[in-house]
Amino acid sequence: MKPLFIAGNWKSNKTTTEAMEWLANFKAQTSQIKLDNMALVLCVPFTLLPVLKEQIGQLPMALGAQDISPFQDGAYTGEVSGRQLREFCDWVIIGHSERRKNFGETDELLNKKVEQAKSVGLKIIYCVSDEKIPVPSGVDVVAYEPVWAIGTGKTDTPENAARVITSIKNASHVPLAIYGGSVTPQNVQSFVKESSMDGVLPGGASLDPINFFNLITACNQE
Ligand code: PGA
């Protein structure tokens, strides 16, 4: 099996207690299998990063944030800087369509966020809704996520997702490209079997530990 990159996006969900329950249940599942050939990242709210970093233990899963300040440390009330994030995580999602839509994030602002992430050595999952959206240089993973597929239960076809991903890879030279938008344990195999697809970005399906575990193991089944 080819190496796969799977990043769960918890969005604005879970308290500390709920995150600890998730972790205990997920650990109980993963102790039974090897997660070879998988790079797992869990992208959680800022508030959960410290406790998850402390409790994640030997689990072969990196932590990520879901946003980053476009500025360095300083007088930017409410922002969390790259340097602050770097203390707790290795990855950050930048440019998710929910941030573009609900918070008016523009390509120009997102470029600044990418620069901040790069300056502190955070690895970047950069989200785009189609192949026409510009991808800043130096991002590590591009996630193709059609807006209409996010949280709706409707997915792109694996064939079209693979076509978009190939075109993104050709244009941006990004090392890895993945698909997101209503990925489930039931449909994940149809996406990852496409040769250009390097993995997936599940949101809703990452919230339940058993569902997330089933999604990961379903990638192995032919
Ligand atoms: P979804 O979310 O899997 O719930 O559709 C994906 C995402 O927004 O990254």
Side-chain angles (χ1 to χ4, degrees):
M1 197 190 74
K2 66 183 174 187
L4 287 177
F5 182 95
I6 301 179
N9 176 10
W10 278 4
K11 309 191 181 188
S12 189
N13 288 293
K14 296 195 191 295
T15 62
T16 308
T17 309
E18 289 161 355
M20 288 304 94
E21 275 168 25
W22 187 101
L23 196 60
N25 288 325
F26 188 74
K27 276 183 181 166
Q29 298 294 318
T30 51
S31 63
Q32 295 154 30
I33 60 149
K34 282 215 164 85
L35 294 169
D36 292 344
N37 250 2
M38 296 260 179
L40 300 180
V41 182
L42 193 60
C43 298
V44 301
F46 295 141
T47 50
L48 300 177
L49 283 170
V51 71
L52 280 169
K53 180 181 157 75
E54 196 184 292
Q55 300 292 327
I56 207 156
Q58 301 305 310
L59 205 59
M61 182 159 68
L63 286 174
Q66 304 166 8
D67 189 24
I68 181 172
S69 173
F71 302 105
Q72 295 180 351
D73 298 8
Y76 303 104
T77 301
E79 289 297 288
V80 180
S81 74
R83 211 171 68 89
Q84 291 172 308
L85 288 179
R86 196 67 191 93
E87 213 181 345
F88 300 107
C89 62
D90 297 318
W91 287 87
V92 61
I93 296 176
I94 297 179
H96 193 283
S97 64
E98 286 157 9
R99 296 213 58 87
R100 293 179 193 257
K101 178 168 153 260
N102 298 317
F103 303 96
E105 296 198 354
T106 60
D107 292 336
E108 193 189 347
L109 179 81
L110 296 172
N111 270 309
K112 289 187 184 154
K113 294 189 174 202
V114 166
E115 285 315 311
Q116 288 303 318
K118 280 177 11 188
S119 75
V120 295
L122 278 169
K123 288 181 265 185
I124 300 162
I125 302 169
Y126 195 80
C127 299
V128 298
S129 55
D130 62 51
E131 68 267 51
K132 295 182 207 81
I133 308 288
V135 175
S137 69
V139 312
D140 300 275
V141 177
V142 170
Y144 160 54
E145 300 203 302
V147 175
W148 52 264
I150 295 178
T152 59
K154 295 184 198 132
T155 64
D156 200 347
T157 61
E159 297 74 26
N160 192 56
R163 183 193 62 75
V164 174
I165 278 198
T166 302
S167 132
I168 290 170
K169 279 181 166 174
N170 289 341
S172 66
H173 304 294
V174 65
L176 298 176
I178 63 178
Y179 168 78
S182 298
V183 177
T184 63
Q186 292 71 39
N187 64 27
V188 68
Q189 173 60 219
S190 67
F191 289 100
V192 296
K193 77 173 199 279
E194 294 290 336
S195 59
S196 58
M197 194 79 70
D198 297 303
V200 287
L201 177 55
S206 70
L207 289 174
D208 177 79
I210 311 294
N211 221 19
F212 192 49
F213 176 80
N214 288 342
L215 187 150
I216 292 163
T217 51
C219 292
N220 285 320
Q221 286 150 23
E222 288 307 315

